[in-house]
């Protein structure tokens, strides 16, 4: 059964690791009632609605979206979005990643609890998205295409930030404050994964009871704090296994003092020992 009336996708052949780089971009019109999620993504994703209607759910809140609205999906945040049954939306999207993305979005007021931008100028946005997709299609020099696509992405973010900073008002209320605290917890785990962390310590830092923090965290990400920390550590271990550090050094770098215990945890994550995982990387 077809899920879209039409669908197009362009993929970046040469994204740069660590840089703000486009991964892929597309445009589509799903059938009425089509939905994605609840799920988490490994990258950032912007959707801009061109016509029709749908809903975007994140951090326990539901946002009705229509033509001119944009919604931003953050990595490891549980989201769901669904087309209206009677008037399904058409939207365009761009996925991207990079070490500076989170700080760049925060600087223009776009955060997990403020992830919807209203009243986007659709003609100019459509021109920029077309140019972005074109930069990744049929080029003989993928590295140049990546640079051009990254430039168009920055212009799109500029426009979203200009609208957001102009119209955004300070969100108040206990629910919003709670989820801003969860955002802080996510950042803490993502940055301090190499330390000996405890949920009790994190909860105390944020002023929550452990059970309350765990409930809110799981509602936001679909994982408990310890499950999230495990995921962060294992992904970082995969990156480090691409280099020349010893298994013991990698274990210590991701918060495990015992290399044997780290090996067991990594096998639980990937189905391979760290040595086997590294060997497969070399062969590939």
């Amino acid at each position: 059964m077809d899920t879209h009336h039409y669908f197009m996708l362009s993929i970046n052949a040469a994204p740069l690791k660590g840089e703000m780089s486009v991964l892929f971009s597309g445009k589509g019109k799903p059938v009425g009632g089509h939905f994605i999620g609840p799920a988490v993504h490994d990258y950032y994703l912007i959707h801009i609605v061109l016509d029709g209607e749908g809903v975007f759910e994140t951090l326990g809140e539901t946002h009705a979206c229509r033509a001119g609205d944009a919604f931003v999906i953050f990595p490891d945040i549980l989201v769901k979005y669904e087309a209206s049954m009677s008037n399904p939306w058409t939207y365009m999207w761009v996925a991207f990643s990079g070490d500076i993305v989170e700080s760049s979005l925060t600087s223009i007021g776009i955060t997990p609890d403020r992830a919807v931008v209203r009243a986007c100028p659709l003609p100019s946005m459509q021109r920029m998205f077309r140019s972005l997709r074109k930069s990744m299609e049929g080029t003989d020099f993928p590295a140049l295409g990546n640079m051009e696509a990254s430039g168009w992405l920055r212009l799109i973010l500029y426009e979203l930030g200009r609208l957001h900073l102009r119209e955004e008002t300070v969100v108040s209320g206990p629910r919003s404050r709670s989820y801003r605290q969860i955002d802080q917890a996510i950042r803490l785990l993502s940055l301090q994964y190499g330390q000996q962390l405890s949920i009790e310590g994190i909860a105390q830092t944020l002023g929550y009871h452990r059970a309350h923090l765990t409930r809110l965290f799981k509602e936001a990400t679909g994982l408990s704090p310890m499950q999230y920390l495990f995921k962060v550590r294992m992904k970082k271990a995969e990156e480090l296994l691409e280099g020349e550090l010893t298994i013991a050094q990698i274990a210590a770098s991701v918060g495990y003092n015992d290399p044997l215990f780290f090996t067991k945890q990594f096998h639980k994550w990937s189905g391979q020992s760290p040595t086997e995982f590294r060997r497969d990387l070399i062969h590939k």
Side-chain angles (χ1 to χ4, degrees):
M1 176 179 173
D2 291 336
T3 59
H4 287 73
H5 295 293
Y6 71 84
F7 180 93
M8 62 178 67
L9 184 69
S10 301
I11 299 174
N12 187 357
L16 291 177
K17 190 171 183 179
E19 297 285 337
M20 184 189 292
S21 289
V22 174
L23 301 177
F24 54 87
S25 180
K27 180 180 177 182
K29 184 177 182 62
V31 298
H34 172 265
F35 65 88
I36 294 178
V40 296
H41 296 66
D42 291 330
Y43 43 80
Y44 297 84
L45 189 60
I46 296 172
H47 285 74
I48 298 181
V49 182
L50 300 175
D51 59 51
E53 299 174 338
V55 294
F56 170 57
E57 300 176 17
T58 184
L59 295 180
E61 296 190 359
T62 300
H63 305 270
C65 297
R66 54 187 58 85
D69 293 339
F71 56 92
V72 183
I73 294 171
F74 284 72
D76 299 318
I77 300 292
L78 193 67
V79 298
K80 178 182 177 182
Y81 47 106
E82 182 174 353
S84 164
M85 184 64 72
S86 60
N87 186 23
W89 51 19
T90 301
Y91 50 40
M92 51 191 182
W93 64 86
V94 57
F96 53 104
S97 63
D99 295 340
I100 66 170
V101 173
E102 182 178 4
S103 59
S104 298
L105 291 176
T106 299
S107 71
I108 59 176
I110 298 176
T111 58
D113 65 327
R114 292 182 291 168
V116 177
V117 182
R118 307 288 185 183
C120 297
L122 290 181
S124 62
M125 280 292 189
Q126 290 187 86
R127 285 195 296 270
M128 286 189 283
F129 268 79
R130 280 196 297 269
S131 296
L132 184 151
R133 292 195 298 270
K134 185 178 179 181
S135 67
M136 297 186 291
E137 296 171 353
T139 176
D140 294 329
F141 303 99
L144 291 179
N146 172 67
M147 288 184 180
E148 184 181 357
S150 296
W152 286 114
L153 172 62
R154 282 165 168 79
L155 290 174
I156 291 167
L157 292 177
Y158 165 80
E159 188 63 31
L160 292 177
R162 183 183 67 82
L163 293 167
H164 204 54
L165 292 176
R166 184 183 67 190
E167 299 181 6
E168 178 69 14
T169 57
V170 176
V171 179
S172 60
R175 185 178 185 82
S176 295
R177 285 196 296 272
S178 294
Y179 280 112
R180 281 197 291 272
Q181 294 290 79
I182 295 304
D183 189 33
Q184 291 181 31
I186 289 171
R187 293 178 185 177
L188 178 63
L189 293 173
S190 298
L191 294 173
Q192 300 295 318
Y193 57 84
Q195 307 301 316
Q196 299 303 308
L197 299 174
S198 70
I199 301 308
E200 290 85 355
I202 296 172
Q204 186 176 10
T205 299
L206 299 177
Y208 284 116
H209 186 276
R210 172 181 173 147
H212 184 58
L213 172 67
T214 299
R215 181 181 64 79
L216 288 177
F217 197 99
K218 193 163 187 177
E219 186 174 338
T221 68
L223 301 172
S224 71
M226 292 309 295
Q227 289 171 330
Y228 185 89
L229 177 61
F230 176 72
K231 179 179 178 180
V232 170
R233 284 173 165 171
M234 293 301 105
K235 284 189 172 183
K236 185 62 179 179
E238 288 182 347
E239 293 179 16
L240 294 176
L241 284 166
E242 296 179 17
E244 298 181 356
L245 294 179
T246 67
I247 302 303
Q249 289 170 334
I250 292 173
S253 297
V254 298
Y256 293 97
N257 294 327
D258 182 352
L260 181 59
F261 182 65
F262 163 70
T263 296
K264 291 179 179 178
Q265 293 296 95
F266 190 86
H267 191 277
K268 178 181 176 182
W269 163 261
S270 68
Q272 295 178 297
S273 71
T275 302
E276 291 169 338
F277 186 88
R278 171 173 275 171
R279 185 181 62 234
D280 285 352
L281 284 176
I282 293 172
H283 289 162
K284 290 177 183 178

